[in-house]
Every structure is written in structure tokens, then in C-alpha cells.
Amino acid sequence: MNNSVLTTSLIILSLSLLSACQSAYYAAWEKVGVHKREILVDRVENTKEAQQATQQEFQSALERLTTLINFDGGELQSVYQQLNDDYLASEAAAQDVRTNIDKVEDVAEALFSEWQDELTQYSSAKLKRQSEQKLRQTQRQFDKLLRSMRASEAKMQPVLDSLKDNVLYLKHNLNAQAIAAIKGEFSGLKRDIQSLITDMNRSIEDSNAFIASMNSTNQS
């Protein structure tokens, strides 16, 4: 067996095992009365909270960088270390957002697949039609939410890359000349962070609307 075939086989096996584990996970929760719909709502809520935390970390990094480029005396090393800490915290928070979005998408796919399969079990054409309409409506709402989440996610890495560049540059050039050099980068980074925060706010609003819609359906 050549390497490419072996690699493909391993990938297929890994995906199969992952799918089996996920199915077992959802099945275990359903046995105690927690269904995919509820898990989806919880994961959307978790993602929203992760985005809010990430906004704070990026804002903190921006404020720290603002302090640094306006530095007028004192210990540069201390301010640099704080900026580096803010960058590392932003990186960790961004990864948390990515992980949560993936989890949201995973359970949504499982929910919609199950819902679609269950449509074939109806004997009442009217109830089947109503359930199918609700499925399509929920899918549209979720697709809008996921696009919003992914759009804000896509903006995180360029901001992190820019922050890292500034941190690395300052690490070995911690002097007035280095600070002057990064001032030219600051306006673009500030604009990118503000744009990211705006996109995250939009995603958070979409999350709130989706959660409200799902909770309303549960109560009706």
C-alpha cells in the first residue's frame, strides 16, 4: 500500500471513529433527556460568551499598544511584557472561539440530519409538512448565524498576525526608535481590531436572535 492510499485510509478511519464518538455522545445525553436542540442552544451561548471574552482581550491589547506608542518615559520592558501577555491571551481566546464554532456546526449538522430523517416517519401529511417548514426555517436561521460566526472568525487571524509582528519586533528592539517604527502600523491594526469587534457584535446579536427563536419554539 503506497503512502497516499495509507494516508487516505487513516483519514477515513479517523473520521469514522470521530463520527461514532459524536453519535455516542449525543445518544448518551438523549438518554438523560437532553436533546440535540438543547445542546445546540448551549453551544451557541458558549460561543457567544467566548466571542465576548475575545473582544475584551483584543481591546486590552489595543489599549496596551496605545500606551506603548505614546510612551514618554519609564520602564519599557514592563509595558512590553504586558503587551506580550495580552497577545498570548488574545491568541488563546481566539482558539476558544474557533473550537466553539466547530462544536456549534457539528451539533447543528447532527440535529438537522436527524430532523430530516424523522420526516419520513410521519403518517400525517399535515404534520409532516409543518415540521418540514419549521426545519427549513431553522436551517435558514442557523445558516445566517454560522456565516456571521465564520466571518468574524476569519478576521481574527490577521489581527493576531499583526499583533505578533509588533510583539516580535519590540522584543529585540525595545527602544524609542522601535516604538516610532510600529506607529506606522498602529492605525491599520486599530482599524482591523475595531472591524473585528464590530463583526463579533453582529455575530453576538445573531446568536441572541437564534437562541430566542429556539427557546420560543421549545415553549410553543
Side-chain angles (χ1 to χ4, degrees):
M1 182 180 294
N2 61 44
N3 288 338
S4 62
V5 173
L6 178 59
T7 299
T8 301
S9 299
L10 289 173
I11 291 173
I12 293 173
L13 177 60
S14 298
L15 291 174
S16 298
L17 291 173
L18 178 61
S19 178
C21 290
Q22 290 167 340
S23 297
Y25 174 83
Y26 298 134
W29 275 111
E30 287 184 1
K31 286 181 180 179
V32 295
V34 180
H35 298 281
K36 296 180 184 70
R37 174 183 290 270
E38 297 164 89
I39 297 173
L40 175 58
V41 170
D42 284 344
R43 288 186 177 180
V44 170
E45 182 70 38
N46 290 341
T47 302
K48 182 185 77 171
E49 292 172 359
Q51 287 178 316
Q52 290 169 329
T54 302
Q55 285 181 314
Q56 293 173 0
E57 296 297 350
F58 277 118
Q59 186 63 42
S60 178
L62 178 61
E63 291 169 0
R64 194 81 63 190
L65 195 56
T66 302
T67 299
L68 191 60
I69 65 172
N70 292 323
F71 202 71
D72 59 359
E75 182 52 58
L76 276 173
Q77 181 64 40
S78 175
V79 180
Y80 160 77
Q81 189 57 56
Q82 291 171 334
L83 176 62
N84 187 53
D85 290 345
D86 288 334
Y87 161 70
L88 293 175
S90 297
E91 187 177 41
Q95 183 55 50
D96 193 32
V97 169
R98 295 188 191 100
T99 300
N100 276 283
I101 294 175
D102 288 343
K103 288 181 177 180
V104 165
E105 187 171 17
D106 176 76
V107 69
E109 289 177 353
L111 170 63
F112 295 141
S113 177
E114 176 186 70
W115 197 340
Q116 182 67 47
D117 290 344
E118 289 175 347
L119 290 175
T120 63
Q121 300 176 26
Y122 281 94
S123 57
S124 167
K126 179 181 178 181
L127 291 179
K128 177 181 179 180
R129 183 170 61 254
Q130 290 176 345
S131 182
E132 187 170 19
Q133 289 173 346
K134 186 61 182 176
L135 168 59
R136 303 302 173 227
Q137 178 186 347
T138 306
Q139 284 178 315
R140 287 194 297 272
Q141 291 172 327
F142 177 76
D143 287 345
K144 179 177 183 292
L145 170 61
L146 186 61
R147 285 195 302 272
S148 180
M149 286 181 172
R150 292 300 188 192
S152 62
E153 177 191 15
K155 287 190 173 182
M156 291 192 301
Q157 193 57 52
V159 171
L160 286 170
D161 289 344
S162 183
L163 277 173
K164 184 176 181 179
D165 285 347
N166 282 274
V167 169
L168 285 175
Y169 186 77
L170 288 168
K171 181 178 181 179
H172 300 293
N173 302 275
L174 202 54
N175 51 50
Q177 288 79 13
I179 292 173
I182 67 172
K183 281 185 179 181
E185 306 286 329
F186 178 73
S187 59
L189 178 58
K190 181 179 180 180
R191 182 178 60 251
D192 289 345
I193 290 177
Q194 290 173 337
S195 176
L196 170 61
I197 289 174
T198 297
D199 276 17
M200 281 191 169
N201 281 332
R202 187 177 300 114
S203 178
I204 288 167
E205 290 173 2
D206 289 339
S207 294
N208 287 332
F210 183 79
I211 291 169
S213 174
M214 296 291 279
N215 288 338
S216 174
T217 300
N218 285 338
Q219 294 169 3
S220 61

